[in-house]
Amino acid sequence: MTRAGHVTFVLGGARSGKSGFSERIVCDTGLERHYIATGRAYDGEMQERIARHRIDRGEGWVTHEEPLALSETLRSVAASDRAVLVDCLTLWITNLMMDGADIAAQSKELVETLSISPGSIVLVSNEVGLGIVPENRMAREFRDHAGRLHQAVASVADEVHFIAAALSLKMKG
């Protein structure tokens, strides 16, 4: 099957440099830049993080804030003359869990959307499965949802990068 666009998946730990790496990929395309932000500002610290991300990104981005309807937003934003950055999938999973959504169905819809979307799409996510088994059920469910989503997204992605200490390990493509 011939893909409509190009999907890049970027994984890494907290403060690994994955967002900056992903932003450079989008900028290097030379296409119109769109940013789909999935984060919700539940508290002052998160508000500061979101503001810092906006400043670090700089000018020239069209920002779409969408904590839940990611597939729908991606279908409306993705175009052959655009590069879209989705940051990040683990925040999206958190939002879905907090809203009691069907995460398996939402994940399936996202993967199907990626398979048909035009243009360049870069997705960022936190790799949370490398540490100890979480002590509580919700944290274990979160880790498991993220792991399943990561496998599904990686399977349709043209490229997959793992970021640690601001260095990239190309895992696919």
Side-chain angles (χ1 to χ4, degrees):
M1 169 168 72
T2 303
R3 295 181 55 74
H6 186 87
V7 175
T8 303
F9 186 32
V10 180
L11 288 163
R15 299 285 159 250
S16 62
K18 62 191 175 298
S19 292
F21 179 85
S22 299
E23 290 164 11
R24 286 189 297 279
I25 290 173
V26 169
C27 290
D28 288 349
T29 68
L31 300 172
E32 183 180 301
R33 296 174 288 176
H34 286 255
Y35 186 98
I36 300 176
T38 63
R40 280 182 170 164
Y42 287 108
D43 58 28
E45 188 267 340
M46 190 63 173
Q47 289 173 343
E48 288 177 21
R49 283 178 181 264
I50 290 170
R52 211 170 26 253
H53 263 279
R54 284 186 189 132
I55 291 167
D56 290 347
R57 228 177 9 258
E59 300 287 322
W61 292 83
V62 178
T63 301
H64 311 266
E65 294 187 9
E66 182 47 62
L68 296 169
L70 180 55
S71 298
E72 181 180 305
T73 302
L74 198 51
R75 284 191 301 271
S76 70
V77 171
S80 59
D81 61 343
R82 293 178 176 168
V84 179
L85 174 58
V86 176
D87 198 355
C88 84
L89 294 181
T90 43
L91 286 175
W92 179 60
I93 290 171
T94 299
N95 298 335
L96 293 174
M97 288 181 75
M98 299 299 280
D99 279 25
D102 182 342
I103 296 169
Q106 292 290 321
S107 296
K108 182 178 185 223
E109 183 182 356
L110 176 62
V111 170
E112 290 169 355
T113 299
L114 292 172
S115 297
I116 61 168
S117 293
S120 177
I121 300 171
V122 180
L123 300 110
V124 178
S125 199
N126 291 290
E127 178 50 67
V128 296
L130 297 175
I132 61 172
V133 176
E135 71 173 21
N136 68 75
R137 180 180 179 165
M138 185 176 188
R140 287 189 299 276
E141 288 175 356
F142 171 79
R143 179 208 52 195
D144 294 348
H145 287 307
R148 284 189 290 272
L149 177 61
H150 291 168
Q151 289 181 53
V153 170
S155 74
V156 298
D158 299 290
E159 294 180 38
V160 178
H161 296 267
F162 185 81
I163 310 298
L167 300 172
S168 167
L169 172 63
K170 192 170 192 178
M171 301 172 71
K172 180 181 179 182

